[in-house]
Amino acid sequence: MTTFADLGLSQKVLSAVADAGYSIPTPIQAGAIPFALERRDICGIAQTGTGKTASFVLPMLSLLEKGRARARMPRTLILEPTRELAAQVAENFEKYGKNHRLNVALLIGGVSFEDQDRKLERGADVLICTPGRLLDHFERGKLLMSGVEILVIDEADRMLDMGFIPDIERIAKLIPFTRQTLFFSATMPPEIQKLADRFLQNPERIEVAKPASAAKTVTQRFVASHSKDYEKRAVLRELVRAQTELKNAIIFCNRKKDVADLFRSLERHGFSVGALHGDMDQRSRTTMLQNFRDGNLQLLVASDVAARGLDIPDVSHVFNFDVPIHSEDYVHRIGRTGRAGRSGAAFTLVTKRDTKFVDAIEKLIGEKVEWLNGDLNALPAVEESKDSERPRRNGRERGEKDRGRGRGNRSAASHKSDNDIQDNDVQVIEAAPARAEVLKNERKAEQKPQNNARNNRPYPANDDSRDRRRHRDHDDGPTPVGFGDDIPAFMLIAGSAKI
DNA sequence: AAAAAAC
């Protein structure tokens, strides 16, 4: 059997790999590493979860042992489609490069130029970049690409989706054509093949089988829901609470706004939850992801920025709050669970307007997905509850009224949009006649300009009350935002004070 | 019906 020692990697690399606990390379690693070490171009067709990153990081480390970087003249360049992926590759260089003295610079947007400039000035052996920030540095004259010996283009199909190809072409023109190019893509449709032909010279093509199709290890279920957001949120909460084996979960929404809304709603309902989408500031993105990885957050509400490539081991559940519009995204999303042969569960909320996307998904995965509690036809008509003649005006959960812990008239004006979300969650379940008003509120909330400070930082970065909150009884009802469990006494007296 | 990425 092939081991890492058979691939021609340097001792320094081998020892770091051994320290990380690996001895047997994955197929893409066994296939790509020997050719990469011979300075051949590579066209790798591999999905995430196949060990693709190490298949270029390890040989690059070996090759970089000869020579040193000069100021503003990086020796190698790795292009990634998202900031998180770039950061992840940088972590791989840390891990496997611990016996090396290489300068690695992570050039991504959303963070200050200063540190990045300093690293470029000092001479970077490895640049790991998102295209926009790299070109930004280049245009500011901080960077010469004429010394680049190895270029890695990762996730090429996704780069194409995201419209990065013109940037990539531009960058490639700035690098000597004598370079070595390592090109990776999860899929190889004709337009990607054309790209590969342009960037690569006599490449060695390595294609690995898809990891065991998600259908095998992931239990998939559709869950019928009415289509209003507050109804979907209620269905989701029930679904999450009903899971006995839930360790942690990613909840996908199609839109950034819905990520923010659902995050706030879940947080207010006492869940241990984080959020991740591309309009959040980079610091929050990094913190959220780290906290989720570390187990400090149980749920992560995310846009498709988290659907592919991010290495979050051991996610027990995936919930699709929205049915993805493109069926391939469904496969990527549920691929976040059931990794490495472990079992996983994926639930998708489906409303009447989603039927054609659901059909496309079933066609793509080649099987019918079971419904959890009956399909859309079994969906009861919108419930009317007994105390519907008394629509609630504040954010108190059903059954909470005797607890003396309502939010009173707090923030009636100051946190309007937050209250709208809360109220909708509650009112509509209980009070169908209040629907007209609720709809009006929802519309108002939607028209309200986005409050950036709030959206970008769904919670204060160092707020450790989250950790305590996850141990709360989840049926406790809404938590006043910003206090965690440390609620000032005066707030516990219903309706006592305006804040 | 979207998301992602530069300031």
Side-chain angles (χ1 to χ4, degrees), chain A residues 324-445:
Chain A
I325 293 161
H326 296 298
S327 46
E328 321 88 71
D329 287 333
Y330 176 82
V331 179
H332 289 296
R333 288 180 182 185
I334 71 167
R336 305 283 85 205
T337 184
R339 305 185 86 189
R342 280 184 287 266
S343 64
F347 293 93
T348 301
L349 268 56
V350 180
T351 72
K352 285 216 167 72
R353 55 182 77 164
D354 297 323
T355 45
K356 72 169 182 244
F357 303 120
V358 160
D359 292 345
I361 287 168
E362 290 185 324
K363 195 173 160 208
L364 178 72
I365 62 175
E367 63 179 293
K368 290 279 178 196
V369 175
E370 271 183 52
W371 292 80
L372 184 65
N373 290 318
D375 62 14
L376 285 165
N377 298 319
L379 205 58
V382 180
E383 275 181 44
E384 301 222 8
S385 101
K386 294 152 217 152
D387 58 1
S388 58
E389 61 278 3
R390 194 175 55 79
R392 287 159 175 275
R393 309 238 40 165
N394 61 29
R396 286 161 65 179
E397 185 84 62
R398 187 190 340 227
E400 196 209 2
K401 56 186 167 219
D402 299 328
R403 215 173 301 171
R405 203 183 142 181
R407 288 144 54 98
N409 52 11
R410 170 189 173 252
S411 71
S414 58
H415 293 292
K416 185 142 195 1
S417 77
D418 297 345
N419 259 0
D420 285 347
I421 290 167
Q422 189 62 52
D423 286 352
N424 293 342
D425 278 351
V426 174
Q427 283 183 345
V428 174
I429 298 162
E430 298 190 351
R435 165 138 323 181
E437 187 181 343
V438 167
L439 288 176
K440 213 169 64 195
N441 282 343
E442 285 261 323
R443 270 196 298 275
K444 251 191 279 174

Side-chain angles (χ1 to χ4, degrees), chain A residues 149 169 196 256 266 278 289 299 317 366 383 394 457:
Chain A
E149 299 159 31
E169 307 234 26
K256 290 178 279 201
L266 287 171
L289 190 56
L299 306 176
H317 286 63
E383 275 181 44
N394 61 29
R457 285 163 46 92

Side-chain angles (χ1 to χ4, degrees), chain A residues 24-53:
Chain A
I24 310 294
T26 66
I28 184 77
Q29 291 161 2
I33 289 173
F35 292 106
L37 289 171
E38 286 172 20
R39 297 260 175 191
R40 288 279 306 278
D41 280 6
I42 298 230
C43 180
I45 303 147
Q47 303 200 321
T48 42
T50 54
K52 175 180 52 118
T53 305

Side-chain angles (χ1 to χ4, degrees), chain A residues 77 90 118 175 233 289 361 440 466:
Chain A
L77 175 57
R118 213 173 303 127
I175 300 174
R233 287 196 288 264
L289 190 56
I361 287 168
K440 213 169 64 195
R466 284 189 308 288

Side-chain angles (χ1 to χ4, degrees), chain A residues 34-217:
Chain A
F35 292 106
L37 289 171
E38 286 172 20
R39 297 260 175 191
R40 288 279 306 278
D41 280 6
I42 298 230
C43 180
I45 303 147
Q47 303 200 321
T48 42
T50 54
K52 175 180 52 118
T53 305
S55 76
F56 60 82
V57 169
L58 302 182
M60 284 174 79
L61 283 167
S62 277
L63 292 171
L64 282 165
E65 282 172 24
K66 294 181 208 109
R68 284 198 59 185
R70 291 188 285 160
R72 278 165 288 162
M73 296 267 284
R75 299 167 66 198
T76 62
L77 175 57
I78 300 169
L79 297 171
E80 295 287 338
T82 69
R83 298 168 185 173
E84 277 74 14
L85 279 172
Q88 197 168 286
V89 171
E91 282 167 28
N92 270 261
F93 268 97
E94 299 284 323
K95 181 157 88 178
Y96 299 119
K98 64 177 192 173
N99 302 320
H100 295 69
R101 285 184 161 210
L102 291 176
N103 294 322
V104 176
L106 179 62
L107 305 188
I108 59 176
V111 294
S112 88
F113 282 91
E114 279 178 34
D115 290 356
Q116 299 178 358
D117 279 343
R118 213 173 303 127
K119 285 188 174 165
L120 288 173
E121 198 56 45
R122 204 173 62 188
D125 298 282
V126 184
L127 287 190
I128 306 165
C129 324
T130 44
R133 181 55 72 97
L134 175 73
L135 286 170
D136 212 339
H137 277 287
F138 180 77
E139 277 156 16
R140 289 159 17 119
K142 298 288 181 183
L143 185 59
L144 283 168
M145 312 256 224
S146 52
V148 173
E149 299 159 31
I150 305 175
L151 170 66
V152 178
I153 300 168
D154 197 13
E155 304 261 336
D157 49 353
R158 202 171 171 200
M159 300 260 207
L160 180 78
D161 281 354
M162 291 169 64
F164 278 159
I165 298 306
D167 285 351
I168 306 290
E169 307 234 26
R170 204 179 140 208
I171 293 164
K173 279 197 196 117
L174 300 170
I175 300 174
F177 73 98
T178 51
R179 67 173 188 255
Q180 178 184 15
T181 308
L182 313 177
F183 182 98
F184 293 90
S185 186
T187 57
M188 216 19 107
E191 41 197 340
I192 300 286
Q193 186 59 56
K194 260 194 255 167
L195 264 183
D197 294 343
R198 277 217 294 287
F199 289 131
L200 300 171
Q201 296 179 41
N202 184 28
E204 183 66 30
R205 185 181 168 112
I206 296 128
E207 181 162 8
V208 302
K210 291 175 198 158
S213 87
K216 299 239 165 63
T217 48

